[in-house]
CSV table of all heavy atoms in Angstrom, one decimal:
chain,number,residue,atom,x,y,z
B,69,VAL,N,106.5,115.7,116.5
B,69,VAL,CA,105.3,116.5,116.1
B,69,VAL,C,104.3,115.7,115.2
B,69,VAL,O,103.5,116.3,114.6
B,69,VAL,CB,105.7,117.8,115.5
B,69,VAL,CG1,106.5,118.7,116.4
B,69,VAL,CG2,106.5,117.6,114.2
B,70,SER,N,104.4,114.4,115.2
B,70,SER,CA,103.5,113.6,114.4
B,70,SER,C,102.1,113.6,115.1
B,70,SER,O,102.0,113.9,116.3
B,70,SER,CB,104.0,112.2,114.2
B,70,SER,OG,104.1,111.5,115.5
B,71,GLY,N,101.1,113.2,114.3
B,71,GLY,CA,99.8,113.1,114.8
B,71,GLY,C,99.5,112.0,115.9
B,71,GLY,O,98.7,112.2,116.8
B,72,GLY,N,100.3,110.9,115.8
B,72,GLY,CA,100.2,109.9,116.7
B,72,GLY,C,98.9,109.0,116.6
B,72,GLY,O,98.6,108.2,117.6
B,73,LEU,N,98.2,109.0,115.5
B,73,LEU,CA,97.1,108.1,115.3
B,73,LEU,C,97.6,106.8,114.8
B,73,LEU,O,98.1,106.6,113.7
B,73,LEU,CB,96.1,108.7,114.3
B,73,LEU,CG,95.5,110.1,114.6
B,73,LEU,CD1,94.5,110.5,113.6
B,73,LEU,CD2,94.8,110.0,116.0
B,74,LEU,N,97.4,105.8,115.7
B,74,LEU,CA,98.0,104.5,115.4
B,74,LEU,C,97.0,103.4,115.1
B,74,LEU,O,96.1,103.1,115.9
B,74,LEU,CB,98.9,104.1,116.6
B,74,LEU,CG,99.6,102.7,116.6
B,74,LEU,CD1,100.6,102.7,115.4
B,74,LEU,CD2,100.2,102.4,117.9
B,75,HIS,N,97.1,102.8,113.9
B,75,HIS,CA,96.4,101.6,113.5
B,75,HIS,C,97.1,101.0,112.3
B,75,HIS,O,98.0,101.6,111.7
B,75,HIS,CB,95.0,102.1,113.1
B,75,HIS,CG,94.9,103.0,111.9
B,75,HIS,ND1,94.9,102.5,110.6
B,75,HIS,CD2,95.1,104.3,111.8
B,75,HIS,CE1,94.9,103.6,109.8
B,75,HIS,NE2,95.0,104.7,110.5
B,76,PRO,N,96.8,99.8,111.9
B,76,PRO,CA,97.6,99.1,110.9
B,76,PRO,C,97.0,99.1,109.5
B,76,PRO,O,97.4,98.3,108.6
B,76,PRO,CB,97.6,97.7,111.4
B,76,PRO,CG,96.3,97.5,112.1
B,76,PRO,CD,96.0,98.8,112.7
B,77,TYR,N,96.1,100.1,109.2
B,77,TYR,CA,95.4,100.1,107.9
B,77,TYR,C,95.8,101.3,107.1
B,77,TYR,O,96.3,102.3,107.6
B,77,TYR,CB,93.9,100.0,108.1
B,77,TYR,CG,93.5,98.8,108.9
B,77,TYR,CD1,93.2,99.0,110.2
B,77,TYR,CD2,93.4,97.6,108.3
B,77,TYR,CE1,92.8,97.8,111.0
B,77,TYR,CE2,93.0,96.5,109.1
B,77,TYR,CZ,92.7,96.6,110.4
B,77,TYR,OH,92.4,95.5,111.1
B,78,SER,N,95.4,101.2,105.8
B,78,SER,CA,95.6,102.4,104.9
B,78,SER,C,94.3,102.7,104.2
B,78,SER,O,93.4,101.9,104.1
B,78,SER,CB,96.6,101.9,103.7
B,78,SER,OG,96.6,102.9,102.7
B,79,PRO,N,94.1,104.0,103.9
B,79,PRO,CA,92.8,104.4,103.3
B,79,PRO,C,92.7,104.0,101.9
B,79,PRO,O,91.7,104.1,101.3
B,79,PRO,CB,92.9,106.0,103.4
B,79,PRO,CG,94.3,106.3,103.4
B,79,PRO,CD,95.0,105.2,104.2
B,80,LYS,N,93.8,103.5,101.3
B,80,LYS,CA,93.8,103.2,99.8
B,80,LYS,C,93.9,101.7,99.6
B,80,LYS,O,93.6,101.2,98.5
B,80,LYS,CB,95.0,103.9,99.1
B,80,LYS,CG,94.9,105.4,99.2
B,80,LYS,CD,96.1,106.1,98.5
B,80,LYS,CE,96.0,107.6,98.5
B,80,LYS,NZ,97.1,108.2,97.9
B,81,VAL,N,94.5,101.0,100.5
B,81,VAL,CA,94.7,99.5,100.4
B,81,VAL,C,94.1,98.8,101.6
B,81,VAL,O,93.7,99.4,102.6
B,81,VAL,CB,96.2,99.2,100.2
B,81,VAL,CG1,96.7,99.8,98.9
B,81,VAL,CG2,97.0,99.6,101.3
B,82,LYS,N,94.3,97.5,101.7
B,82,LYS,CA,93.9,96.7,102.8
B,82,LYS,C,94.9,96.9,103.9
B,82,LYS,O,95.6,97.9,104.0
B,82,LYS,CB,93.7,95.3,102.5
B,82,LYS,CG,92.7,95.0,101.4
B,82,LYS,CD,92.6,93.5,101.1
B,82,LYS,CE,91.6,93.2,100.0
B,82,LYS,NZ,91.6,91.8,99.6
B,83,LEU,N,95.1,95.9,104.8
B,83,LEU,CA,96.1,95.9,105.8
B,83,LEU,C,97.4,96.3,105.2
B,83,LEU,O,97.8,95.7,104.2
B,83,LEU,CB,96.1,94.5,106.5
B,83,LEU,CG,96.9,94.4,107.8
B,83,LEU,CD1,96.1,95.1,108.9
B,83,LEU,CD2,97.1,92.9,108.1
B,84,LEU,N,98.1,97.2,105.9
B,84,LEU,CA,99.4,97.7,105.4
B,84,LEU,C,100.4,96.5,105.4
B,84,LEU,O,100.3,95.5,106.1
B,84,LEU,CB,99.9,98.8,106.2
B,84,LEU,CG,99.3,100.2,106.1
B,84,LEU,CD1,99.6,101.1,107.2
B,84,LEU,CD2,99.7,100.8,104.7
B,85,TRP,N,101.5,96.7,104.6
B,85,TRP,CA,102.6,95.7,104.5
B,85,TRP,C,103.0,95.4,106.0
B,85,TRP,O,103.4,96.3,106.7
B,85,TRP,CB,103.7,96.3,103.7
B,85,TRP,CG,104.9,95.4,103.7
B,85,TRP,CD1,105.2,94.4,102.8
B,85,TRP,CD2,106.1,95.5,104.6
B,85,TRP,NE1,106.4,93.8,103.1
B,85,TRP,CE2,107.0,94.5,104.2
B,85,TRP,CE3,106.4,96.3,105.6
B,85,TRP,CZ2,108.2,94.3,104.8
B,85,TRP,CZ3,107.6,96.1,106.3
B,85,TRP,CH2,108.5,95.1,105.9
B,86,ARG,N,102.9,94.1,106.3
B,86,ARG,CA,103.3,93.6,107.7
B,86,ARG,C,102.6,94.4,108.8
B,86,ARG,O,103.1,94.6,109.9
B,86,ARG,CB,104.8,93.7,107.9
B,86,ARG,CG,105.7,92.9,106.8
B,86,ARG,CD,105.4,91.4,107.0
B,86,ARG,NE,106.3,90.6,106.1
B,86,ARG,CZ,107.5,90.1,106.5
B,86,ARG,NH1,107.9,90.2,107.7
B,86,ARG,NH2,108.2,89.3,105.6
B,87,GLY,N,101.4,94.9,108.4
B,87,GLY,CA,100.7,95.8,109.4
B,87,GLY,C,100.4,95.1,110.7
B,87,GLY,O,100.6,95.7,111.7
Side-chain angles (χ1 to χ4, degrees):
V69 294
S70 64
L73 299 182
L74 178 63
H75 64 90
Y77 304 101
S78 167
K80 297 180 180 178
V81 296
K82 299 179 183 178
L83 193 69
L84 286 163
W85 174 86
R86 301 293 186 96

